[in-house]
């Protein structure tokens, strides 16, 4: 499905969507490491989650533990599912002329393969998974920023597009914390939902896109499109019990 706007809203809306755990509930990147990496990847991941390691160091070390051919990686990822209601979310954004970008601190080959298997062609920003020959791989970080407060390999804040726009973030975890604080609305689950509640960020709680779609549609219908109103206090979005 190609994301092509049918009509442009009077005020541009940008939607940024996390991949692992959000679009793809089964965490394909973790599944890839579970299948093809030395078990030591789990300790590295725990160190990142605990804040003892930068995201880019953790990702680089985990990727170095992978042992699989490109064909094995693609065949395995081709079995991964996405949230069955995410295509409807994509279509809703298209119908409203909303710019949707997938932003992930995961790996580009994982995103492209899983989304492609679902028939979705979307703008994606992620770290690189680079084949080094044989069964070895390396990670690349084209979007790394030394100023990123959460020390992400892919600083999601850097992908926010300029202009008179409303920003919306959809996510589930630690890599979404920073950009969520800069958005008009957050659609959240997991630790991101807890963060929104603690920081009192305007948010919608989601279990998956089945309930997020209806609530986001309601938010779109009530959110003002008047650019002169851009400085008014943030609205408090309806919250669903997760």
């Amino acid at each position: 499905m190609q994301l092509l706007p049918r009509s442009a809203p009077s005020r541009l809306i940008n939607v940024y969507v996390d991949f692992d755990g959000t679009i793809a509930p089964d965490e394909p990147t973790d599944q890839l490491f579970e299948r093809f990496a030395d078990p030591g990847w789990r300790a590295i991941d725990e160190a990142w989650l605990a804040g003892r390691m930068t995201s880019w160091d953790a990702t680089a070390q985990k990727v170095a533990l992978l042992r699989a051919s490109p064909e094995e990686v693609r065949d395995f990822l081709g079995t991964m599912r996405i949230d069955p209601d995410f295509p409807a979310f994509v279509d809703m954004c298209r119908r409203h002329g909303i710019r949707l970008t997938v932003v992930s601190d995961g790996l580009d080959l994982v995103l492209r393969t899983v989304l492609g298997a679902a028939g979705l062609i979307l703008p994606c920003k992620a770290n690189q998974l680079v084949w080094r020959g044989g069964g070895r791989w390396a990670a690349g970080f084209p979007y790394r920023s030394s100023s990123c407060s959460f020390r992400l390999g892919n600083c999601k804040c850097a992908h926010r597009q300029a202009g008179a726009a409303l920003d919306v973030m959809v996510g589930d975890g630690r890599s979404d914390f920073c950009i969520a604080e800069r958005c008009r609305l957050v659609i959240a689950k997991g630790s991101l939902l807890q963060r929104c509640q603690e920081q009192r960020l305007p948010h919608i709680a989601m279990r998956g896109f089945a309930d997020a779609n209806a609530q986001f549609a309601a938010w779109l219908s009530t959110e003002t499109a008047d650019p002169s109103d851009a400085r008014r206090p943030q609205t408090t979005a309806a919250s669903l019990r997760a």
Side-chain angles (χ1 to χ4, degrees):
M1 179 187 297
Q2 181 70 44
L3 185 65
L4 296 173
R6 289 182 186 168
S7 60
S10 54
R11 182 152 45 135
L12 190 60
I13 298 174
N14 297 316
V15 171
Y16 305 96
V17 190
D18 173 60
F19 180 74
D20 285 287
T22 304
I23 294 174
D26 294 334
E27 303 273 1
T29 302
D30 283 356
Q31 294 286 348
L32 180 68
F33 290 125
E34 191 70 37
R35 173 66 179 83
F36 293 113
D38 181 278
W41 77 269
R42 299 189 198 95
I44 298 170
D45 202 52
E46 289 171 3
W48 139 245
L49 290 172
R52 300 192 303 272
M53 183 181 291
T54 66
S55 170
W56 58 80
D57 282 338
T59 299
Q61 291 185 31
K62 289 187 295 183
V63 167
L65 296 177
L66 282 173
R67 294 294 182 271
S69 69
E71 293 76 19
E72 288 174 318
V73 169
R74 289 190 176 90
D75 287 348
F76 178 75
L77 292 174
T79 67
M80 297 288 101
R81 70 182 184 92
I82 66 167
D83 186 310
D85 295 290
F86 177 63
F89 183 84
V90 173
D91 187 58
M92 176 170 28
C93 290
R94 178 175 63 89
R95 286 186 282 106
H96 285 84
I98 294 171
R99 297 191 300 198
L100 186 153
T101 306
V102 180
V103 289
S104 172
D105 201 31
L107 301 165
D108 56 358
L109 180 59
V110 177
L111 272 66
R112 292 199 306 269
T113 304
V114 175
L115 290 172
L120 294 171
I121 303 173
L122 300 169
C124 295
K125 305 293 184 180
N127 303 314
Q128 294 175 333
L129 181 59
V130 182
W131 181 50
R132 306 297 289 179
R136 295 181 178 272
W137 300 81
F141 303 97
Y143 306 114
R144 174 178 152 182
S145 171
S146 59
S147 63
C148 179
S149 58
F150 282 85
R151 303 190 296 172
L152 300 178
N154 177 22
C155 182
K156 296 184 179 183
C157 294
H159 302 301
R160 294 175 65 228
Q161 301 180 56
L166 301 178
D167 288 339
V168 177
M169 179 64 207
V170 188
D172 77 318
R174 190 170 187 266
S175 69
D176 306 313
F177 287 2
C178 189
I179 188 172
E181 294 175 358
R182 292 161 170 78
C183 288
R184 180 64 164 264
L185 174 70
V186 184
I187 304 175
K189 63 178 181 177
S191 61
L192 179 60
L193 175 58
Q194 182 178 353
R195 177 81 173 187
C196 289
Q197 293 166 340
E198 292 172 349
Q199 299 294 317
R200 301 181 65 84
L201 302 176
H203 67 277
I204 291 171
M206 65 180 281
R207 299 182 185 91
F209 282 95
D211 50 49
N213 288 350
Q215 293 193 88
F216 184 52
W219 181 83
L220 285 173
S221 70
T222 58
E223 181 62 36
T224 179
D226 181 1
S228 67
D229 198 32
R231 295 186 180 180
R232 71 177 174 84
Q234 289 185 324
T235 58
T236 301
S239 182
L240 171 73
R241 296 193 180 197

